Amino acid sequence: MKDAPARIDTDHSVIVDVEGTRSIRQAEVGSVRTMLDRIKVQHGIDPERLIADSAYGSGPMLGWLVGRDIKPHIPVLDKAGRTDGTWSRTDFEWDPENNQYICPEGEPLKQFRRNYSDPNRKPTGKGVAKYQALKHTCQACPSKMKCCPKADARKITREEHEDARQVARDIAKTKQYVISMRLRKKVEMLFAHLKRILRLGRLRLRCPCGANDEFLLAATAQNLRKLAKIFPAPQQSRKA
Ligand code: SF4
């Protein structure tokens, strides 16, 4: 199976780059990085925001975009939500200055409760960090049943790219994000056209290079169609 992630100029629905990949999320996400690097070199385009669906909303992808100063207009992939009605991580407030979460009852959840003199034992900011409330505080808490009914104390994990995920969550509350999601629908129409009218739902060439060529030709045809609409040919006057 092959897929064709593409970068599209949403102002004119023109495809600015396309990259054939295997139809798995990691490959598709990797191709976005390749295309962003390529369109910067080839077209001098450095987008200020990237609009995409939740397949691109993983922590590492968001971290990469935010690190490159590109605003992620992407729904965050978040598996921290709970289905049993107890409080999820979003109910806890992050306190970056003290490297701790504050629970709805105002108690801190810390990663470390000691002051390490050895700097190698301090938080590295890499990987997943675990934060925990004090056992005796949770045991006496009136909200324990809403928070951690089956555990002695509440624990929360924080991913390495949580700051970038928060940037994406904050963007998702803006009016610009609503506009971006409307623009994304426009892009989906474009893909529907590629699949149905240009018959790209099924590839004729099988190898990765062949698939890439097919995607490239289809994108070129689509762009020519679009450009013909934007710049219609001058009417030829008929000779009498
Ligand atoms: S159970 Fe513990 S972490 Fe949860 S609200 Fe109460 S004190 Fe806070």
Side-chain angles (χ1 to χ4, degrees), residues 94-101 109-132 158-160 163:
W94 172 238
D95 170 9
E97 274 177 30
N98 299 306
N99 184 32
Q100 64 183 12
Y101 277 95
L109 283 79
K110 289 186 178 285
Q111 189 182 9
F112 299 107
R113 292 191 184 271
R114 287 192 218 159
N115 286 325
Y116 290 109
S117 51
D118 180 357
N120 293 330
R121 301 189 66 187
K122 285 185 178 168
T124 59
K126 302 270 179 208
V128 177
K130 289 181 187 154
Y131 294 80
Q132 187 168 347
R158 183 176 175 83
E159 288 184 34
E160 187 180 338
D163 288 342

Side-chain angles (χ1 to χ4, degrees), residues 1-229:
M1 285 282 287
K2 299 282 188 298
D3 210 341
R7 293 302 96 211
I8 291 161
D9 164 20
T10 50
D11 286 346
H12 304 102
S13 296
V14 168
I15 302 170
V16 287
D17 200 0
V18 66
E19 170 90 2
T21 68
R22 290 182 65 207
S23 187
I24 53 172
R25 198 167 74 206
Q26 291 92 329
E28 290 177 6
V29 167
S31 73
V32 171
R33 298 181 183 195
T34 306
M35 283 189 281
L36 285 173
D37 286 337
R38 198 160 51 203
I39 60 173
K40 186 172 181 181
V41 173
Q42 290 185 343
H43 306 295
I45 298 173
D46 211 357
E48 61 139 30
R49 68 178 191 272
L50 182 79
I51 305 171
D53 63 31
S54 58
Y56 299 87
S58 66
M61 181 71 203
L62 296 173
W64 186 82
L65 288 170
V66 171
R68 209 175 144 147
D69 220 10
I70 300 173
K71 294 189 185 87
H73 286 232
I74 303 173
V76 177
L77 258 184
D78 201 343
K79 294 180 182 152
R82 293 189 161 190
T83 51
D84 59 0
T86 57
W87 285 330
S88 65
R89 185 170 57 196
T90 49
D91 295 305
F92 292 70
E93 192 186 326
W94 172 238
D95 170 9
E97 274 177 30
N98 299 306
N99 184 32
Q100 64 183 12
Y101 277 95
I102 303 294
C103 76
E105 291 287 349
E107 297 294 338
L109 283 79
K110 289 186 178 285
Q111 189 182 9
F112 299 107
R113 292 191 184 271
R114 287 192 218 159
N115 286 325
Y116 290 109
S117 51
D118 180 357
N120 293 330
R121 301 189 66 187
K122 285 185 178 168
T124 59
K126 302 270 179 208
V128 177
K130 289 181 187 154
Y131 294 80
Q132 187 168 347
L134 286 171
K135 184 177 166 184
H136 66 83
T137 313
C138 292
Q139 294 294 326
C141 175
S143 302
K144 187 169 186 302
M145 292 311 286
K146 274 195 218 157
C147 186
C148 51
K150 294 179 188 162
D152 288 341
R154 180 63 192 253
K155 292 175 194 156
I156 285 185
T157 55
R158 183 176 175 83
E159 288 184 34
E160 187 180 338
H161 299 286
E162 196 54 35
D163 288 342
R165 287 151 65 99
Q166 193 54 45
V167 169
R169 283 190 203 103
D170 292 342
I171 289 173
K173 294 174 194 156
T174 62
K175 282 185 188 162
Q176 184 59 51
Y177 181 82
V178 178
I179 296 168
S180 295
M181 289 303 107
R182 263 189 235 133
L183 289 171
R184 188 157 70 80
K185 291 270 178 293
K186 229 164 101 177
V187 171
E188 279 164 11
M189 300 269 291
L190 196 68
F191 281 117
H193 185 92
L194 282 171
K195 279 192 177 167
R196 274 199 232 127
I197 311 296
L198 299 184
R199 307 279 176 98
L200 211 62
R202 195 183 173 92
L203 296 177
R204 276 128 197 101
L205 303 173
R206 292 291 163 199
C207 68
C209 289
N212 214 39
D213 288 349
E214 260 191 75
F215 291 137
L216 207 55
L217 283 171
T220 307
Q222 180 75 5
N223 280 349
L224 287 173
R225 196 181 69 90
K226 202 46 89 176
L227 290 172
K229 277 189 187 169

